[in-house]
Amino acid sequence: MKMRISDGDTDAPSIVRASFWAWVAAAVVGLLDAVLFFYFKDQLIESTIRQNPALNVDQVRSGANSFVWLTLILAVLFGSLYVYFGRRMQTGERKSRTRLLIAGLVHLALSILFPVSYIVLLGVLLSVVGALLMYLPQPAKTYFSNEV
């Protein structure tokens, strides 16, 4: 394992690289969920109207459209943050590791507030695995220490 030297040349330990790929997988799963949600939007609208026929159809369509777009925008946002900060974390930047953890926690909080699917839960699980891998194992702690 090559450690950091003064000009920033790095070779991350395998556990840090695994953490990076867990974050990337979480981003891909989040985007996949948003695209599937976008694809099945009409079925969501129809089932909502069947469950509660007293609702105004136009309001249900408008609300569903807004929710689908919000989901897609958040998936792109968190996916971008995961990949960007994950890449910077992989190069040894300690602040990016903290920022990545904060992005994951905010994503977890938003996932709790909105109705979620099993795909979203898989993405959250992958981000938890990524967070644990970048903080807990000894090679990760050594890689991010100030003394290296």
Side-chain angles (χ1 to χ4, degrees):
M1 170 172 72
K2 184 170 53 169
M3 302 306 283
R4 285 177 296 193
I5 57 177
S6 60
D7 65 353
D9 186 18
T10 61
D11 187 17
S14 60
I15 201 78
V16 173
R17 289 192 305 267
S19 173
F20 168 73
W21 287 111
W23 286 105
V24 169
V28 169
V29 167
L31 286 172
L32 176 67
D33 177 64
V35 168
L36 287 174
F37 197 48
F38 194 79
Y39 182 74
F40 291 112
K41 173 185 65 168
D42 291 333
Q43 291 177 356
L44 172 71
I45 293 169
E46 289 173 11
S47 69
T48 303
I49 292 171
R50 265 188 266 122
Q51 289 175 357
N52 195 347
L55 293 175
N56 184 344
V57 176
D58 291 332
Q59 289 178 336
V60 171
R61 286 190 194 285
S62 175
N65 283 332
S66 299
F67 189 67
V68 165
W69 279 107
L70 175 68
T71 303
L72 189 61
I73 289 168
L74 288 175
V76 169
L77 173 72
F78 282 108
S80 300
L81 289 173
Y82 286 177
V83 171
Y84 176 74
F85 288 132
R87 182 69 188 124
R88 299 214 34 195
M89 176 264 311
Q90 191 177 17
T91 62
E93 186 178 311
R94 293 182 72 187
K95 288 182 180 181
S96 289
R97 183 173 69 150
T98 304
R99 291 173 182 151
L100 190 55
L101 180 66
I102 290 169
L105 290 173
V106 170
H107 188 206
L108 175 64
L110 286 175
S111 296
I112 291 170
L113 293 176
F114 293 113
V116 296
S117 65
Y118 290 119
I119 297 173
V120 172
L121 293 177
L122 175 63
V124 170
L125 178 67
L126 286 168
S127 63
V128 168
V129 167
L132 291 175
L133 288 177
M134 71 182 182
Y135 275 100
L136 292 182
Q138 188 58 38
K141 289 179 183 179
T142 303
Y143 183 66
F144 291 108
S145 71
N146 285 331
E147 299 164 2
V148 175

